[in-house]
Every structure is written in C-alpha cells, then in structure tokens.
Amino acid sequence: MKHKFWETQPVGQFKDLGNSSLPEGPIELPTPLSEVKQEPYNLPSLYEWTTCDMGSDEICNEVYILLTNNYVEDDDNMFRFNYSKEFLQWALRSPGHFGSWHVGVRVKASKKLVAFISGIPVNMRVRDQVLKMAEINFLCVHKKLRSKRLAPVMIKEVTRRIHLENIWQAAFTAGVLLPTPITTAQYWHRTLNPKKLIDVGFSRLSERMTMSRAIKLYKLPNSTTTPGFRKMELRDVPAVTKLLKNYLSRFVVAPEFDDSEVEHWLLPRENVVDSYLVESPVTHEITDLCSFYTLPSSILHSQEYSTLKAAYSFYYVATSTPLLQLMNDALIIAKQKDFDVFNALDVMENESFLKELKFGQGDGQLYYYFYNYRLQNALKPSELGLVLL
Ligand code: NHW
Ligand code: MG
C-alpha cells in the first residue's frame, strides 16, 4: 500500500513496525515558533480558507449541513452520522479551545462551505508522561470534491495552526487503516429496539430468531436497579474529577481532565451527553459513574424511518457497583430515553460486560492514531482509556 501523503508525515510507518531500535516518544522535535510557517497553505485557486466560529448559530449550521450530507457512512452506505448542532458546539467549544483550529474551506465565488477539519486541545497521558495534544475530528470534504488531494492540505493547515499554539502532538481515530494505529478497536452494538433495527437493515434476524423472540431477548426492566443511581449535577464535578482521574490512571493512554473539563464533558446536556452516578444512600459518597453521548445516524434508504437514535458509551468509573450492573442501568436509561441502539467499543474494561449484556460485535474497525508520537508496540484496546466523539 502506498500513502503518498502519510509517508511524509511524522507518524509510525509500516516499514518500521517491530523495529525495536526506534525509541518511544516524539518523532520530530518542536521547532521555534518563529520557524512555523506564518501563511496558510495554498488551496486550489477556486477555494479559500475560512475559520468557522462555532459560537455563531449561522456558521455552526453551515458545518452541520456539510457534515449531515457528506460525513462518515457505513461500508454499505445505509447510514450516515448526523451529529446535531448542539453536539458540534459541545464537541468543539471545550475548555481552552482555539477558534483558529476550526478550519473550513469555501468556494470563493459562492462562499459555499465545502470542507472542514477541527482540533481541540487535551492533556493526554501516555504511560507516565502528560503531553498537551490536539484531538482531530470532523474531517470532511464535500462528496463532489473527493479524491482531489484536498484532505492532505487540510491536515497540513490544521497542523500549522496547532503548531502556532506550540502543540506538537495529536490523537485521532478513523475507520480507515493508515500508518500506523496505536490500537485497533471494535464496535459492539446492544439492540434496544429490535423491530426498528431489523426494519431499517441495521440488524437482521438469524435463522432461529423470530421477531417475538428478539423482542423478548432484548427486553430491559423499566427502571434502574442500583440504589443511589441518579443524574450527575454541577455539585458532583469535584468528586467525579477525582474518581475519573484515579480510574483512568490504570490505562496506558488516557486523557487527564480537570474540573472544568469534567463539567464540560460530563455534565448532562439534553440530546448530547448523559451522565449518571451512584451516590451511596448511607455515606452520600459518589462511588460510580457512567455516561453516554447521543449521535443519531441518518437512515439513507428507508420509507418508514429517517433517523437511527444511537447512544455511545463514554467514560465510566466503577468502584463499588459492579461494572456490569452499572452498564445495565445505563442501558435501561437509554431505553427509557427511546434510543434504538447502545454502542460501545472494546476499549477500557468494556470486554467485561459486552457479551453478558447482549452486545453483538459490529463489522469494521476503529483505528486510533497519534501524530508525532511513536509507541514501541501497538496497544490492546483494553489498555486504552480514551473515547473520542
Ligand atoms: S475520521 C472521519 C473522516 N471523515 C470521513 O470519513 C467523512 C467522509 N469522507 C470524506 O470526507 C475522524 C473524505 O473522504 C476525506 C478524505 C476528507 C476523509 N484520516 O483529499 P483526498 C477524523 O475526522 C488520506 C486521515 O484525495 P478524499 C479524523 C488518505 O489516506 N487521513 O481524499 C481526521 C490519502 O493519503 P495517502 C485520511 O477522500 C484525522 C489522502 O487522505 C483519512 O477526497 C486527520 C487522500 O486525500 C482520514 N480519515 O478526502 C489526520 N481519509 O497518504 C489528523 C483519507 O494515503 C493528523 N485520508 O495517499 C493530525 C493533525 C494535527 C497535528 C498537530 C501536531
Ligand atoms: Mg479531495
């Protein structure tokens, strides 16, 4: 496989896999900021750069429309991610975000937004080192402009803008294999609404499974089972920060969140993120946490339904409640909120509940990558404490 662009970038290369003489850590050293290119990269002459102010409802709507029509589809082109506007604002306006990292491309003549890429800053721990990194997401080129090598220019431009903030590493995920993943994760899906998932072709009945057996198999109790299980509130932020910091310390790679980040990423936002915790009925200590985010997909070819309502497992901590029971309560909440499916990767300790809670393995991989940071060996997904949106 030839990667004309990626071969030129500071990432682990396929030819170096297994080469134990290469050290772990940054591949390139930072350059003085005065040596970072001051002008944007050149675009083909019909296009121009734009910085997308995601605080503006109008511009956020333009990004939303671009992604709704052109972002990630499944392999069979049956579904396309449909991140909501509120979700995009949440994802991109996180603590310490840089407006300049929300990069768009417009057609000069019409001003139509035709491409986008974004980054946000995060403190990432790799073993015992904490590095300021960028998390890159929402890379999208309009369907009519594909395969014209626009993506490499966009990646170089966001990289330049990140370098200008004196940040030299990044993390991202993709469904495509590039040089070279730090880990490869799998999606698992827990059916909540079997009839709809079968009707829209998301899942199908096996030979021995009738619709009524499927409905019975995936049935969940009407209410949660853990005493003290409740929605997270603002006053819980310091306790949750402590819980999460302690829990995430067991993984080789994980973000380090401070109070403001925990407030941003975990405090419930309607139709964006849900977080529940366990407050001990006796001591009133916060002992456990679970969370999921809302990411619907457009259903591309159904007469009956236009959107698949999906919840994605986010961060959790189980100290006194068994993780299996905590996640079962998360499924119950998701069902109450009318989600059709609950998705989870096999990262963190998810393998301990996936099969037992009747998740089925999805097809396709989610690859995790670092930019300008080499790991000696790929990690197991269970060594990863990072969930990207
Ligand atoms: S992954 C979601 C990516 N988006 C989609 O799949 C949406 C639908 N597809 C598209 O819009 C989450 C286009 O197909 C895109 C490619 C724009 C994907 N990551 O312009 P060309 C993220 O957002 C390479 C990285 O002709 P295109 C993470 C490809 O391998 N590279 O293709 C984003 C080839 O290079 P090669 C990708 O189809 C992380 C080159 O692009 C890629 O018109 C970005 C072809 O370009 C992908 N998902 O547009 C990296 N898909 O070397 C951040 C294709 O193989 C790095 N390519 O010849 C860090 C930067 C920050 C550093 C800071 C220090
Ligand atoms: Mg292109």
Side-chain angles (χ1 to χ4, degrees), residues 368-379:
Y368 278 77
Y369 301 96
F370 279 157
Y371 180 96
N372 195 24
Y373 200 94
R374 185 188 290 107
L375 288 185
Q376 192 69 256
N377 294 114
L379 305 176

Side-chain angles (χ1 to χ4, degrees), residues 141-142 144-152 154:
V141 168
H142 193 286
K144 296 209 164 130
L145 299 179
R146 297 278 169 86
S147 306
K148 296 174 184 297
R149 313 301 298 184
L150 219 50
M154 302 190 61

Side-chain angles (χ1 to χ4, degrees), residues 149-177:
R149 313 301 298 184
L150 219 50
V153 190
M154 302 190 61
I155 293 167
K156 285 192 278 184
E157 179 60 14
V158 81
T159 300
R160 187 185 71 81
R161 295 178 184 207
I162 292 165
H163 285 166
L164 287 172
E165 304 299 340
N166 201 20
I167 295 173
W168 304 88
Q169 270 74 36
F172 60 100
T173 56
V176 292
L177 179 62

Side-chain angles (χ1 to χ4, degrees), residues 4 21 32 52 54 128 147 155 170 187 206 244 260 287 297 303 315 319 325 329 341 349 351 356 372:
K4 274 216 157 309
S21 69
C52 294
M54 296 300 291
D128 57 3
S147 306
I155 293 167
Y187 268 112
S206 70
L244 205 56
S260 72
T287 54
S297 279
Q303 308 287 13
Y315 290 99
T319 70
Q325 180 183 329
D329 280 344
V341 62
E349 294 185 292
E351 282 200 302
E356 204 156 350
N372 195 24

Side-chain angles (χ1 to χ4, degrees), residues 220-233 235-236 240 243 268 274-282 284-292 313 315-337 342 357:
L220 285 160
N222 288 320
S223 47
T224 59
T225 62
T226 308
F229 192 84
R230 63 163 173 85
K231 228 179 162 99
M232 180 185 169
E233 297 172 21
R235 63 186 162 103
D236 302 316
V240 169
L243 271 184
D274 283 280
S275 302
Y276 286 79
L277 44 70
V278 181
E279 174 179 339
S280 160
V282 185
H284 296 283
E285 251 188 303
I286 310 299
T287 54
D288 313 271
L289 168 86
C290 60
S291 62
F292 55 86
S313 183
Y315 290 99
Y316 57 74
V317 182
T319 70
S320 79
T321 308
L323 181 57
L324 188 96
Q325 180 183 329
L326 196 65
M327 293 309 297
N328 196 237
D329 280 344
L331 293 175
I332 291 166
I333 298 280
K335 178 66 190 173
Q336 283 174 359
K337 292 183 175 254
F342 190 103
L357 293 181

